[in-house]
Amino acid sequence: MDRISALRNIEDALAAFEQGETDLATMEQRVRGVLRTYATEFADNSLAAYRASGDTAVDGLVVVAESSAQARERIGELGGQASTFTVERVDSS
């Protein structure tokens, strides 16, 4: 999914919510799905999404990186004092 397609899908979800066609939870679910698809489907196959689990400061964070080592470094920078965490590649499925 390219950026324009992702933005259009998010706009559609917002419009449906504004028009009363969906509730907040449904809109959030649609937007989350669009963002996950966008984040895990890159034309550049050297990039992938990685999710952290562990310390509260980083648990659930997702970053885009070329490798798990690079993802670990980025998550470490974002997490400040988090010291114990693992990273796992997020599948696009």
Side-chain angles (χ1 to χ4, degrees):
M1 173 181 299
D2 65 15
R3 182 181 299 182
I4 298 299
S5 179
L7 291 171
R8 285 184 182 140
N9 287 332
I10 290 170
E11 175 62 29
D12 289 345
L14 291 171
F17 175 73
E18 291 169 349
Q19 295 167 8
E21 296 171 2
T22 62
D23 62 6
L24 179 61
T26 301
M27 180 190 63
E28 288 174 331
Q29 186 176 31
R30 285 179 63 187
V31 170
R32 188 178 308 117
V34 169
L35 295 176
R36 285 180 190 262
T37 300
Y38 176 77
T40 57
E41 290 182 358
F42 290 100
D44 179 354
N45 290 334
S46 67
L47 296 175
Y50 293 85
R51 178 181 292 116
S53 19
D55 279 355
T56 305
V58 297
D59 193 53
L61 283 180
V62 176
V63 297
V64 175
E66 293 180 356
S67 67
S68 60
Q70 186 183 55
R72 185 167 181 64
E73 182 180 324
R74 287 186 179 170
I75 290 168
E77 291 169 359
L78 292 171
Q81 302 206 359
S83 60
T84 307
F85 65 92
T86 59
V87 295
E88 184 176 322
R89 188 173 172 148
V90 177
D91 291 330
S92 60
S93 55

